[in-house]
Amino acid sequence: MEQLINIAIDGPAGAGKSTVAREVAARLSFVYIDTGAMYRALTYEALKHQADVHNEEAVMGHLKEMVIVLGKDAETGLVVVNGENVTEAIRSSDVTANVSYIARHEQVRREMVRKQQEMAKSKRTVMDGRDIGTAVLPEAEVKIFLTASVEERARRRHEEQIAKGMPSDYETLITEIARRDRIDSEREIAPLKKASDAVEVDSTELSAEQVIDTILDIVRKRGS
Ligand code: DC
């Protein structure tokens, strides 16, 4: 498919966005851009330098110094910040617990959006996040809003962690996911919200493969 389009995939934490976005990009030979990884990378940098995550000026100082490279190879999801491979580190519980605070700052969002728009300029990208269809790429040719129930998202995360041999508590995950949903949806700037022209896909009862097929179908029908 040689379509000159961008695909925006938004939705709450744990709905399976990155898994399906990565695979949709691979099948279309598009570039996958994980915008959550960009906010996570900045959070990692701020925490590493013991910056106050609530202090916008301090956080902006780190963003200005930050050179972030997202691996072109969608398979690995490589993230390099100022020459350091942070692919694993940005998934730590410390980063996860603080990233919503970082993503709340207005100047931070403005700069991230600018970087993301630059990355999508030549099209053929699949970008996932919270505000892609509404703020980053409002003109994206295909917009998906991917959801799943809180319980199902917690169940998937729980299984992932168990499979990795990590400690995991299902009830705690439910509380954490609901908390992040609240912070992401209630923030003043670019809250998590379905774009009016996005297609909502509820993945609660679907396998990853079914979600990927649904999205590829939408691309075939609407993206030409
Ligand atoms: O998708 P994720 O869990 O890696 O996202 C990490 C955090 O970044 C999450 O709290 C929401 C925020 N985020 C955002 O505000 N805007 C985006 N475009 C992507 C992520």
Side-chain angles (χ1 to χ4, degrees):
M1 229 181 291
E2 285 300 314
Q3 300 183 91
L4 218 49
I5 62 168
N6 281 321
I7 302 171
I9 303 183
D10 290 301
K17 294 187 301 292
S18 57
T19 308
V20 302
R22 198 184 296 277
E23 190 53 32
V24 166
R27 296 210 194 160
L28 297 172
S29 302
F30 278 27
V31 173
Y32 166 56
I33 299 167
D34 175 356
T35 63
M38 297 171 71
Y39 288 96
R40 285 174 178 273
L42 178 58
T43 307
Y44 171 81
E45 276 297 294
L47 293 176
K48 180 175 154 185
H49 293 95
Q50 279 131 37
D52 175 4
V53 294
H54 300 285
N55 180 334
E56 180 157 23
E57 288 312 313
V59 173
M60 274 309 286
H62 290 290
L63 181 51
K64 286 190 190 121
E65 299 293 313
M66 188 171 90
V67 177
I68 179 163
V69 179
L70 300 177
K72 288 263 178 283
D73 177 5
E75 296 292 302
T76 60
L78 182 75
V79 183
V80 176
V81 171
N82 298 344
E84 180 184 350
N85 182 344
V86 298
T87 314
E88 299 276 316
I90 62 168
R91 308 284 159 197
S92 74
S93 53
D94 209 15
V95 168
T96 303
N98 283 284
V99 62
S100 286
Y101 303 123
I102 295 273
R104 257 198 320 219
H105 298 307
E106 183 174 5
Q107 291 182 65
V108 167
R109 297 207 71 87
R110 204 179 308 135
E111 181 56 18
M112 288 291 193
V113 168
R114 196 193 59 73
K115 281 182 195 276
Q116 291 153 6
Q117 288 174 337
E118 187 67 32
M119 291 170 166
K121 228 169 44 186
S122 45
K123 303 258 179 175
R124 297 174 65 81
T125 71
V126 179
M127 195 177 276
D128 83 6
R130 304 293 190 285
D131 60 340
I132 311 306
T134 53
V136 180
L137 303 176
E139 311 291 332
E141 288 77 3
V142 173
K143 295 184 188 179
I144 307 292
F145 195 75
L146 188 62
T147 61
S149 69
V150 173
E151 292 75 15
E152 175 61 14
R153 288 185 279 141
R155 195 191 60 74
R156 289 177 192 167
R157 188 58 47 90
H158 185 57
E159 282 188 358
E160 251 169 49
Q161 293 186 334
I162 298 281
K164 284 187 198 155
M166 288 161 68
S168 184
D169 179 62
Y170 175 69
E171 296 300 328
T172 309
L173 283 170
I174 290 197
T175 313
E176 274 172 8
I177 288 176
R179 176 179 153 273
R180 276 177 71 195
D181 279 1
R182 202 167 48 245
I183 301 180
D184 290 343
S185 319
E186 290 177 357
R187 72 166 169 244
E188 271 170 43
I189 314 140
L192 171 66
K193 197 172 103 222
K194 176 181 167 295
S196 55
D197 53 349
V199 179
E200 181 159 352
V201 177
D202 183 343
S203 77
T204 307
E205 309 273 338
L206 301 177
S207 66
E209 196 55 41
Q210 287 172 314
V211 176
I212 292 160
D213 283 345
T214 305
I215 296 175
L216 289 174
D217 246 14
I218 295 168
V219 171
R220 271 183 218 108
K221 287 187 189 128
R222 312 213 349 210
S224 49

